[in-house]
Amino acid sequence: MEHGNTRLKPGEVDLGTTIMAVKFANGVIIGADSRTTTGSYIANRVTDKLTMVHDRIYCCRSGSAADTQAVADMVHYYLQLYTAQEGERPPVETAANLFRELCYTNKDGLSAGIIVAGWDKYKGPSVYTIPLGGSIHEQPFSIGGSGSTYIYGYCDANFRDDMTKEEAIKFTKNSIALAMSRDGSSGGVIRLAIIDESGVERIFVPGNQLPTFWEG
């Protein structure tokens, strides 16, 4: 699938997708659908697009599956080195800047849009976006992938800075479900990860339990 990106090579697997991260009072929620496409063929309907790069830091990947997996693996390696050298967990900002450096340095050869989210002792919860081209933006919430174009209005209208954990979970689930209902390259199930000081909690929402809305 192209989805505005013409740099995929023939047969290359594309994460036509919906990815999202939301910051709430004490943590972050990161979520994604599970559909991976090769052209119009669904290569995998239960992909886990939430990639752990350290204990309290996850990323969501959109673009080329090969490119984003390679970049995430490199960041994971560097963060392990950081922990060994510094004797502590890396800040989320450090992980995000590693993604930025790799994506910007190789911007002409990569198709990679990344959302990085997590918790650290310095800033608490934080969300960073690294879009195509390798810039970096810290935001209270971020959406990405082909399905995100359908839900900008919903997210702008419903996001609040003071959301509780339960409200943030509902907001994320509804947003991804709305994108999945409109975007042919998003679908399957919803996977969520809640990251805070205590650790990571994973939530799985099967296809028959997705939030439903009007469908004419």
Side-chain angles (χ1 to χ4, degrees):
M1 294 292 283
E2 293 184 351
H3 300 298
N5 174 24
T6 59
R7 291 181 294 175
L8 288 178
K9 294 175 281 295
E12 188 171 12
V13 176
D14 172 37
L15 263 63
T17 185
T18 301
I19 56 176
M20 185 173 187
V22 179
K23 184 168 74 170
F24 63 95
N26 301 311
V28 295
I29 297 174
I30 192 164
D33 74 308
S34 65
R35 179 175 292 179
T36 298
T37 55
T38 305
S40 59
Y41 174 74
I42 298 174
N44 188 344
R45 62 193 177 96
V46 288
T47 312
D48 187 354
K49 301 177 185 177
L50 310 182
T51 304
M52 184 181 73
V53 292
H54 208 269
D55 294 349
R56 304 283 193 280
I57 307 172
Y58 273 65
C59 73
C60 278
R61 305 174 287 113
S62 64
S64 163
D67 291 352
T68 56
Q69 285 173 6
V71 172
D73 286 346
M74 292 177 70
V75 171
H76 179 264
Y77 168 75
Y78 285 127
L79 293 181
Q80 297 302 316
L81 284 181
Y82 179 99
T83 302
Q85 292 172 354
E86 303 296 329
E88 64 177 17
R89 294 190 180 102
V92 180
E93 187 174 10
T94 299
N97 276 293
L98 283 169
F99 275 106
R100 176 202 56 78
E101 177 68 19
L102 290 167
C103 291
Y104 179 76
T105 304
N106 301 282
K107 61 182 178 293
D108 294 329
L110 291 178
S111 171
I114 309 287
I115 296 174
V116 183
W119 186 96
D120 63 63
K121 66 180 182 180
Y122 299 103
K123 296 180 69 174
S126 53
V127 173
Y128 295 86
T129 304
I130 299 94
L132 286 172
S135 58
I136 186 169
H137 313 274
E138 184 176 6
Q139 300 173 302
F141 78 94
S142 178
I143 55 177
S146 56
S148 66
T149 56
Y150 298 94
I151 57 171
Y152 274 98
Y154 176 85
C155 292
D156 289 344
N158 289 276
F159 175 77
R160 299 194 328 271
D161 284 318
D162 59 347
M163 281 195 291
T164 64
K165 175 181 173 180
E166 290 71 26
E167 289 172 334
I169 291 172
K170 182 179 179 181
F171 172 63
T172 306
K173 285 168 61 175
N174 286 348
S175 299
I176 296 174
L178 281 165
M180 290 165 64
S181 69
R182 294 286 183 181
D183 178 34
S185 294
S186 299
V189 303
I190 295 177
R191 300 182 191 275
L192 304 174
I194 304 165
I195 310 167
D196 57 23
E197 185 177 4
S198 64
V200 180
E201 176 189 354
R202 295 292 298 255
I203 296 177
F204 175 81
V205 185
N208 63 348
Q209 295 179 23
L210 294 175
T212 55
F213 303 90
W214 181 85
E215 294 184 8

